[in-house]
Structure formats: C-alpha cells, structure tokens
Amino acid sequence: MNDINENIESPFTLKVSFDKILQHYEVLSRSDDKFIAAKARRVLKTAEGFPELRDGITNPQDLITRQKEISVILQDSFSPILTKNEIKTASVPFHNLIFNSSERFKSIIETAGDDFELEIKNMPKDDMYILACTIILSACYQHHIDFKRPFYYEIPDANGIMQYYKILYNADFTEIVPSKNAPIITQEDADELLDNFENMALWKEKFPPNSYIFKGFVISNIFNVTDDQSISNIKSSLIGEDKRKDDSFMEDFHQIFQSLLGLNDIKVGFSIYNEEEDAFERVYGAGMNSFLLNNLDVNNCSGTLCTSSYNTLLQEKKFYTISDVDKFYDLSKGKAPQYKTLKDQNIKSAILAPIANEDGLMGILEIVSDRPKVLNSINANKLKDVMPFIVSAVERSKSEEQNLIEAIIQQECTSIHPSVNWRFEKEAKNFIKDQFNGNKPSFNKIAFENIYPLYGQIDIKGSSDARNWATQQDLTIQLNGIKSIIEAAIGIENLPIYEQYLFQIEGFLEGLSTHFQVDSEQQISAFVKQDIDPLLEYLLVVESLKPQVESYFGSIDDKVDVLYNHRKDYDDTIALINKEMASLLDKKQVEAQAMYPHYFERFKTDGVEHNMYIGESITKEDSFNPIYLYNLRLWQLQVMCEMENSFYLMQSDFPVKLDVASMILVFNQSLSISFRMDEKHFDVDGTYNARYEIVKKRVDKAYIKGTTERVTQKGKISIIYSQKQDEIEYLRYVRFLQSKKYLDNDVEIVELQDLQAVTGLKAIRVSVLYHKDKDDQSFYTYDDLMNEISA
C-alpha cells in the first residue's frame, strides 16, 4: 500500500501531520520554565529538515522512515514511565493504521496471535462514513450533531478469553479543511440530513468522497472494560427472546461468563425451582443444561441438595460455592446429593447462585469447572452485578410461560376464532384501561348483529345401532369365556354358587341376543366386577384352570376393564372418520377465509358439523356485499360433496363399514349472535333467532311429510330451507355442480313433517357423484359405487 487512503471510502483525504502538536511546542519553547522550554526546542529541532512531518504523510513507508523523529515528537504523550501500564495508540481515524503505541498495547496484540486482525467491532462502514460527515459539520459549519458512540476492540488474551477494550479518542492535534471540490453546506442541507440518516446517496452528495482534508492524528486511550461489557452482554443476551431460542445462545453465554470470571473452561447451567412440588426442573431450550439435575428432568429438593445447601440457597438466598468437589464429597462420605451429582459429571468446583426475588426462589444459576478451586466464594462475588438482570429475565420468562400456557389452553380448549379476535382484544384493552384508572372493570358483552348463518353436517348413519351391535358382540364373547371357565370349575369342585353364576350368565346372554337395552351393559359390567373377577382371582390358584383364566384376563383391555375388540373397531372408525373429515374441512376453510373473512367453528360428534357466520359486523370493514354470502353458500355445498367423496375413498380403510349422510341448513334472515361467557361459545340472540337453533338440533331427524323416511339419506345431500327464494338460489348451485359432475341429475324437492314450533320446511335432495378411486375419472351414484366396490 503506497497511500493510506487506498481501499477506503471516506469524505476525508487523510494526512498524518504533526503540525498542530509542533505548534504547541512552539508556544512551550517560549515558556518561563527553562526545563520545559529546552525540551520543547529539542522536539522542534528534531522536526526541522523534515517538512513532511508538518505538511502531512500519506505513504505508510514514510511513517516507518520517520519513526525516530515521530517518537521524539510524541514522547510526552507516550510517557516511557507509563508505557507498560497505559494502553495507548497514535493513529488516524476510521483506519486500522497505528504508527505509535505503548508497550502495553503491543503486548496485548502480540498475545492475541499472528492471525489476529485489529478492528473496531461496533461500527458499520456506512455509519463510519456518516460519522466523518458529522465531524465535518461540527468542525467546518458549526452544526453540532451528536452521533458519538462508544467504540470497542475485542481482543483475546493468552488463555483465549475474549477481552473488551473501550476506545477514547483525543483529537486535539487535528484539523479539517474543505478541498476545492467540497460543496458548501447550507442550513437547508443540514436540516435535510437530519431526516435522512439511512439515505447514503444523499450524504455522499453533500460530502463527496475525499472532499475534505484531514490533517493530524488522534491519540487513542484504551481501557479494559471486560467486566462492564460482560455484564452488558449478559443483559443483551437475556433481553433477546429470539436469541434464547437459538442453538448458539448457551455457547455465547458460556463465553460471556468466561470473560466475566476470567476462566476459559467454565460452563453455565440453569434449573428452575417449582415451589408447589418443592423440586427442581430442567429448563427446556436450545443447549440448556442443568448440572444439579444431570440426566434428570425433575428431582425433589431433598434428592438434589443437602440440608445446609438447601438452607443457603432457598432460605437465605445466598451463593453456595464448592471450591473442591472431591474434597467435600469425601468429607460428606458421599451422602450430600449435590457433591455426588457433580462428581459423577467430573466437575471439580462450582458456584450455585440463587435466582430469587421478593416472592422467593425461582431457580438456580449453576457455574461449573472441571478444575478445583478456580470457582470459589471470592470470585463468586463478581456475579452480584449480573444477578439482577438474570432475575429480571427469569421473571419475564415465567410471565411469558404463563401467557403461553394460557394461550395454549385458549387455543385448545376455548379457541377464539381469528375473525372475531379483534373484538375480544378491544374489550380486553378497555378492561385493562378501567382497571388501571381505578374503575370497576367489567368485560362487556361480545355481540355481532345482522350476520348470516350457514350450517352443515356430515353425519354417520346408524352409529347407535353399530355401537350397540359391537357392544353385544364383545359382551357375548366375554360372558361365554367366563361361562367356559365356570363349567370347568364345576368339574373340579361342584359348588351350588357356580350353578347360580351360570344361571345369571345364561340370562344375560339371552337378553343380549333378544332385547339389548341401554342398561344391559352396566348390569353385566357390575356383575363381572363384583362377582366374577374375585372368583377368577380365586380360581387362578387351581393349576388346571390357570391357563384358561390367564387367557381370559389377557383378553380384557386394561384401560376400559372389559373385552374391547368390536367396540374398539367401532370407536377407532368413528375417530378416523371425524379426524379425516375435520382435517379436510379445516384445510378447505383456509381457502374460504382468503375469499372473505367470516366466523367458523366445527364440532366432532358422530360425524362433523360446522357453523359459519358472515357479515359486516364481523369483518369491521365497510366491505361486505351479499355476493360474499352467495359465494360462501356455493363453497359450502361444493365442499360437502368433496367430503362425501373423500369419505367413500377412505371407507375401505376403516375397521368398521359405516355410511354417512350430509345436510345443509339454509336460514334466509340475518340474525344476531353473542358470546356466552359461561359456556365459552357463540349462540344466537333473541326469541326469533332461537328458531334457527331449534331447527339445527332437530332437522336431521325429521321425516318427509306423510312417510317414515328420514330426510337425510346416505349417498345424498339434503338442503333444508323454508323460503322460495332459497329454493331458487340453491337449485342454481345444484345445476352448476351437476355441470361439474359433483352431483347427479335426480333432484327432488320434498316437504318435511312439522317439527315442534317449526313448520313449512322443505328440502332439496340430490345424489352425490363419486369416484371409485383418486385416479378414476368415472362417476358413480352411491348404489353404483357400492356395487363396484363389492365387485
């Protein structure tokens, strides 16, 4: 490099000049103090004959050539007496060129290693350019803009521990002069720059590169601030929530504490104190560890700490230090749990610091080393400066965890749909405001007016009969198994009680085959539990009956305590149907919400049913149009057809063959709904609107007028309505879906028998068209599909 200005972009052309300091010596040469005057004249004499020392040097080689003269000029600034103690350099700003330094600084750099490159850590290049511009504004135009920031070096010591050094600049020996091409900066220019920090092009327009000459040098006074910076780094690490989730968080945390304590082999761990259980728990997070718990997730306090350490940490809330783990392990004869746990991990010394506030202990900060005595009661005191930040972080973490728990409970148990969440947030904010202002807070009623409801269900047909049949089969098998064991027992020991049990069993079996009733299952279960189970336990000691009895007990399900084969197939089938149908509906709902936001909820029963509400009051924007209601109705009908198809494509995978029937309820009028705080769900408001809820609950069991035929049938979709305009609207949708081969051409319109307090209902019924499999492009009615599958 022939010029120190090469490869850097700056508004400055840098010149290392000693003119300003030599001017000081010219003044001192006329001092009344003869010693000071003589020394000043000697310095001035040294500079004579080398005009470049005043005019400015740009070639680094010239600085080396004139090193002897420069050392004499800077001798007062770099005292030989303090050179091994002070950390000081002479350099030019915004550049890594150092042309004079104290012995202490040279030693620090030499220790850092040959591959170490000195640079300011917290100054981006763009910021450096702007900082230079603000210096020009102040020096040349008297516009004082404070952009001063603390500058730091990060330099490792002999043990590889990062040390932090703060840099303070002395710019007494500098001057800044505009070059010929430097634009004049007006007040308007300065005002414009105040609002455009990020606009680098504007700064370079006002201060082009190399448009000002910087003559002189700066003296950097450098101080080791490792302790202060370590505390600041700990604070920054704890504040950064995203950082704490990162895999590198604990590795960085180890390094920070290594710098604070000056030890390169220490590790940091945490354990949380659960007051209710009087136990310590592991902290879950990236790289988190607990040396007190070792491999355990949780351990009670008595199993983690001895009485003395328990009192120190939990009662007195003081540091507990172990300078030599092996020594104290031997003294306690291995009975103190904390020594044994640490010894098992080859830990030789440790500091356990309580993380506690006024409410009590929240956790333990664990610092450990594999060397004895390096952690002790003396250097433990260094932690006093960082513990308040750790306490604050844990308090915040506990609060966040509680909020997360409450959020999960709300999401999983009392979910508030995103479309209406804004209204709950609004009321919650009002609640908090009233509470803060000292008023009696109340959570106001959440209601939405003039919205349109949509309801649909895909119901499992004959689910009660299927369950009863499965129950009959299991109970019959179980009773016959018991009967077989008792008959074998009579052959060994003919007791009248055995015959009485057989009589009861025969009665139960006859009842199962002829007139199964709701309470039959409970009666048989009570008989087995009270009479048969004790008998079979007794018969287990009979050697010849033992295999048969053990086989019987092996057939009994541990969770439900009965024989659970056919019923398990039934329950698994219902669970699979509900899961698949709900999953498909949820997936489709994402698309529907993207069309226009609306309220949606679904329920799993013997099938899946869903409610939707759409209207202006839900979206809170002046954007609702009836077209969105019509669109959602068509979407609902189409999705119900897709759910039917999806069900029959999966039917062969279900343990029990069941059928479904789909229904849509059309309600022509808008209504109002409100959130019932006691039941945690929305319900209709008003007597008139209640009619809608009555119809919803009863209509799927309704019969076609004058018949015993249910309105809902497998293979068909039933659209229930009461108004002629609804009939016209939905017939349009049906014709459209017929053109897309979703529905067959067998449309029928039927009247329903009157329900309690509800009259005049009609239904459009139409068959769904199915595919035999995903790749099949043929269309089948339900009967055709069943015949194809059977074939």
Side-chain angles (χ1 to χ4, degrees):
M1 183 172 67
N2 297 320
D3 193 312
I4 60 176
N5 294 289
E6 288 180 12
N7 302 321
I8 62 169
E9 187 175 40
S10 168
F12 291 135
T13 294
L14 299 173
K15 291 185 177 183
V16 181
S17 167
F18 301 93
D19 185 46
K20 292 275 280 188
I21 193 172
L22 290 173
Q23 289 177 26
H24 278 279
Y25 278 116
E26 287 172 352
V27 174
L28 293 175
S29 67
R30 298 187 291 272
S31 171
D32 294 336
D33 188 317
K34 294 181 179 180
F35 177 79
I36 291 176
K39 185 174 184 180
R41 287 192 293 270
R42 188 168 64 251
V43 170
L44 292 169
K45 185 174 180 61
T46 300
E48 286 179 5
F50 306 107
E52 65 270 26
L53 292 175
R54 285 184 181 267
D55 297 338
I57 297 170
T58 59
N59 189 331
Q61 185 58 46
D62 292 344
L63 291 170
I64 297 173
T65 303
R66 299 275 76 85
Q67 181 62 48
K68 179 179 178 182
E69 290 78 15
I70 292 172
S71 296
V72 173
I73 294 171
L74 298 179
Q75 190 177 64
D76 286 341
S77 300
F78 289 79
S79 169
I81 296 174
L82 301 177
T83 190
K84 292 185 178 180
N85 183 274
E86 288 185 332
I87 309 172
K88 183 181 285 190
T89 67
S91 63
V92 288
F94 322 124
H95 202 294
N96 58 5
L97 173 69
I98 294 174
F99 55 82
N100 200 72
S101 62
S102 66
E103 292 299 323
R104 174 83 183 277
F105 179 82
K106 293 176 183 176
S107 174
I108 289 170
I109 298 300
E110 183 179 341
T111 301
D114 295 337
D115 58 347
F116 175 74
E117 185 175 338
L118 186 70
E119 63 178 349
I120 297 172
K121 286 295 180 184
N122 59 329
M123 179 56 70
K125 288 184 179 180
D126 284 355
D127 285 10
M128 201 170 288
Y129 196 104
I130 294 173
L131 176 60
C133 295
T134 61
I135 292 172
I136 295 169
L137 281 170
S138 177
C140 299
Y141 300 99
Q142 285 70 55
H143 293 298
H144 301 292
I145 301 174
D146 187 4
F147 185 47
K148 290 184 290 185
R149 295 175 58 195
F151 297 139
Y152 294 92
Y153 290 136
E154 294 180 9
I155 308 174
D157 67 8
N159 295 316
I161 299 172
M162 193 60 69
Q163 302 293 304
Y164 301 91
Y165 297 88
K166 187 174 183 179
I167 311 163
L168 297 180
Y169 289 110
N170 182 332
D172 289 348
F173 308 118
T174 64
E175 58 181 320
I176 298 171
V177 182
S179 64
K180 293 180 180 179
N181 67 335
I184 301 298
I185 303 299
T186 65
Q187 182 65 50
E188 290 76 13
D189 292 328
D191 293 343
E192 185 180 5
L193 291 168
L194 289 176
D195 296 321
N196 286 279
F197 177 82
E198 301 290 342
N199 190 344
M200 198 63 206
L202 181 65
W203 286 92
K204 289 182 178 179
E205 176 191 325
K206 308 296 184 187
F207 302 93
N210 307 117
S211 55
Y212 289 81
I213 297 170
F214 178 95
K215 282 184 65 177
F217 66 96
V218 293
I219 294 175
S220 300
N221 294 287
I222 304 169
F223 303 91
N224 190 320
V225 291
T226 300
D227 286 356
D228 292 340
Q229 189 60 36
S230 297
I231 293 170
S232 177
N233 289 346
I234 288 171
K235 185 162 52 172
S236 299
S237 297
L238 293 171
I239 289 172
E241 180 180 353
D242 291 337
K243 288 183 181 179
R244 284 182 280 142
K245 295 176 181 176
D246 192 85
D247 290 338
S248 63
F249 169 72
M250 282 308 296
E251 183 180 342
D252 295 341
F253 217 54
H254 293 322
Q255 293 177 356
I256 294 169
F257 273 94
Q258 288 169 1
S259 295
L260 178 65
L261 295 171
L263 300 168
N264 64 349
D265 63 344
I266 60 172
K267 295 179 181 178
V268 182
F270 295 92
S271 51
I272 294 296
Y273 176 61
N274 184 330
E275 185 177 6
E276 291 182 4
E277 304 290 337
D278 195 31
F280 291 107
E281 299 174 353
R282 183 179 298 279
V283 178
Y284 293 101
M288 291 290 187
N289 195 11
S290 171
F291 303 101
L292 272 179
L293 292 173
N294 197 3
N295 295 322
L296 300 175
D297 288 331
V298 61
N299 196 15
N300 57 51
C301 287
S302 60
T304 307
L305 301 170
C306 67
T307 303
S308 175
S309 58
Y310 180 93
N311 289 334
T312 301
L313 290 166
L314 275 78
Q315 306 300 327
E316 300 175 19
K317 301 183 184 66
K318 293 181 178 179
F319 295 156
Y320 185 81
T321 59
I322 310 165
S323 61
D324 192 331
V325 171
D326 291 344
K327 172 186 172 183
F328 287 101
Y329 175 82
D330 293 338
L331 288 173
S332 69
K333 298 179 181 179
K335 293 181 180 180
Q338 72 272 19
Y339 302 141
K340 183 180 186 311
T341 303
L342 296 175
K343 184 177 175 63
D344 288 345
Q345 299 169 80
N346 201 34
I347 293 168
K348 302 299 183 182
S349 59
I351 299 172
L352 304 178
I355 305 170
N357 58 13
E358 295 177 355
D359 296 328
L361 185 73
M362 295 181 291
I364 302 290
L365 169 67
E366 310 158 1
I367 301 177
V368 302
S369 171
D370 57 9
R371 290 188 293 152
K373 301 178 183 178
V374 296
L375 295 172
N376 50 67
S377 65
I378 297 174
N379 59 9
N381 285 277
K382 280 197 165 191
L383 299 178
K384 289 182 177 179
D385 294 324
V386 304
M387 291 310 295
F389 306 119
I390 293 176
V391 169
S392 295
V394 172
E395 286 175 336
R396 190 176 73 253
S397 180
K398 285 173 74 71
S399 177
E400 289 171 355
E401 181 185 36
Q402 187 60 41
N403 291 339
L404 179 60
I405 290 170
E406 291 176 3
I408 289 172
I409 291 172
Q410 176 176 306
Q411 177 180 324
E412 298 299 324
C413 306
T414 58
S415 180
I416 302 299
H417 193 264
S419 64
V420 295
N421 192 61
W422 65 272
R423 185 64 183 278
F424 286 85
E425 288 183 355
K426 179 181 177 181
E427 290 303 330
K429 289 177 181 177
N430 289 334
F431 187 96
I432 293 170
K433 183 173 69 176
D434 288 344
Q435 199 172 42
F436 182 78
N437 292 332
N439 301 326
K440 186 176 181 180
S442 62
F443 203 91
N444 294 326
K445 179 181 178 180
I446 305 290
F448 298 96
E449 297 180 348
N450 296 320
I451 59 172
Y452 295 89
L454 295 91
Y455 173 78
Q457 69 172 33
I458 183 164
D459 188 44
I460 299 171
K461 298 295 289 182
S463 57
S464 297
D465 292 340
R467 187 191 185 282
N468 288 342
W469 179 87
T471 303
Q472 285 174 296
Q473 297 302 305
D474 282 344
L475 290 176
T476 299
I477 294 170
Q478 184 174 356
L479 288 172
N480 280 323
I482 297 168
K483 177 182 175 183
S484 177
I485 295 171
I486 294 176
E487 287 174 343
I490 290 175
I492 297 171
E493 186 180 16
N494 190 2
L495 299 179
I497 190 65
Y498 293 164
E499 293 183 12
Q500 192 267 323
Y501 287 153
L502 288 176
F503 174 76
Q504 282 185 268
I505 290 171
E506 289 293 350
F508 286 133
L509 287 171
E510 183 180 353
L512 288 173
S513 63
T514 58
H515 53 280
F516 181 77
Q517 297 178 348
V518 176
D519 63 345
S520 298
E521 184 178 356
Q522 286 74 24
Q523 290 177 5
I524 294 171
S525 295
F527 166 67
V528 171
K529 186 175 183 179
Q530 295 169 15
D531 298 325
I532 300 302
D533 283 350
L535 170 63
L536 296 182
E537 292 288 348
Y538 164 73
L539 294 178
L540 263 175
V541 301
V542 181
E543 197 64 33
S544 60
L545 295 178
K546 186 175 182 180
Q548 196 174 354
V549 176
E550 287 180 341
S551 176
Y552 166 81
F553 280 129
S555 69
I556 301 302
D557 187 274
D558 292 335
K559 292 182 180 178
V560 295
D561 204 26
V562 293
L563 192 135
Y564 187 57
N565 293 338
H566 293 83
R567 274 175 292 181
K568 185 177 188 303
D569 287 343
Y570 168 82
D571 290 342
D572 288 347
T573 299
I574 296 295
L576 280 170
I577 292 172
N578 285 345
K579 177 183 177 183
E580 296 297 338
M581 294 299 98
S583 176
L584 176 61
L585 187 57
D586 289 346
K587 183 178 178 181
K588 293 292 182 180
Q589 246 294 300
V590 176
E591 301 170 7
Q593 289 292 341
M595 297 177 200
Y596 192 81
H598 56 277
Y599 181 82
F600 169 79
E601 62 183 356
R602 59 150 175 82
F603 309 97
K604 297 177 184 177
T605 52
D606 281 353
V608 176
E609 56 184 286
H610 63 271
N611 288 319
M612 294 185 290
Y613 299 105
I614 187 169
E616 188 75 57
S617 61
I618 287 180
T619 54
K620 74 171 181 178
E621 297 175 0
D622 188 16
S623 61
F624 179 72
N625 187 287
I627 191 69
Y628 294 117
L629 169 62
Y630 306 146
N631 181 72
L632 192 59
R633 285 175 171 173
L634 175 59
W635 171 89
Q636 181 189 35
L637 181 56
Q638 182 171 315
V639 168
M640 295 292 283
C641 294
E642 293 177 13
M643 290 173 70
E644 283 264 353
N645 252 288
S646 179
F647 171 82
Y648 284 107
L649 284 173
M650 295 182 293
Q651 191 190 48
S652 60
D653 298 330
F654 298 146
V656 176
K657 183 181 180 300
L658 294 170
D659 288 304
V660 295
S662 297
M663 183 202 77
I664 289 172
L665 175 62
V666 183
F667 196 72
N668 187 266
Q669 302 296 318
S670 65
L671 47 71
S672 299
I673 60 170
S674 62
F675 190 76
R676 298 177 70 96
M677 295 295 180
D678 52 345
E679 298 179 11
K680 300 292 185 283
H681 72 87
F682 279 99
D683 206 348
V684 296
D685 266 349
T687 305
Y688 174 77
N689 293 333
R691 178 174 178 268
Y692 172 70
E693 287 295 326
I694 294 171
V695 175
K696 263 174 41 177
K697 292 174 182 176
R698 299 175 182 172
V699 72
D700 66 320
K701 303 295 191 294
Y703 294 98
I704 296 175
K705 183 173 280 190
T707 73
T708 57
E709 180 185 349
R710 287 274 179 87
V711 66
T712 55
Q713 292 291 318
K714 58 190 177 185
K716 294 179 181 287
I717 285 187
S718 301
I719 304 165
I720 315 298
Y721 63 95
S722 62
Q723 302 296 318
K724 185 65 177 178
Q725 65 193 75
D726 296 328
E727 179 182 303
I728 296 170
E729 178 186 346
Y730 272 87
L731 284 174
R732 288 202 310 266
Y733 302 154
V734 168
R735 286 193 292 272
F736 172 69
L737 293 180
Q738 285 171 337
S739 72
K740 296 184 70 175
K741 301 300 183 183
Y742 278 84
L743 296 172
D744 200 7
N745 295 319
D746 60 341
V747 177
E748 58 178 332
I749 297 175
V750 297
E751 291 186 43
L752 275 57
Q753 285 187 355
D754 294 342
L755 302 174
Q756 183 180 351
V758 179
T759 61
L761 292 177
K762 290 185 176 183
I764 298 171
R765 293 204 308 185
V766 58
S767 295
V768 179
L769 290 178
Y770 303 96
H771 300 285
K772 187 169 63 176
D773 55 57
K774 291 180 180 178
D775 299 322
D776 184 20
Q777 297 303 310
S778 303
F779 301 100
Y780 302 83
T781 65
Y782 172 80
D783 291 335
D784 292 338
L785 180 69
M786 292 300 106
N787 291 333
E788 283 285 331
I789 292 174
S790 300

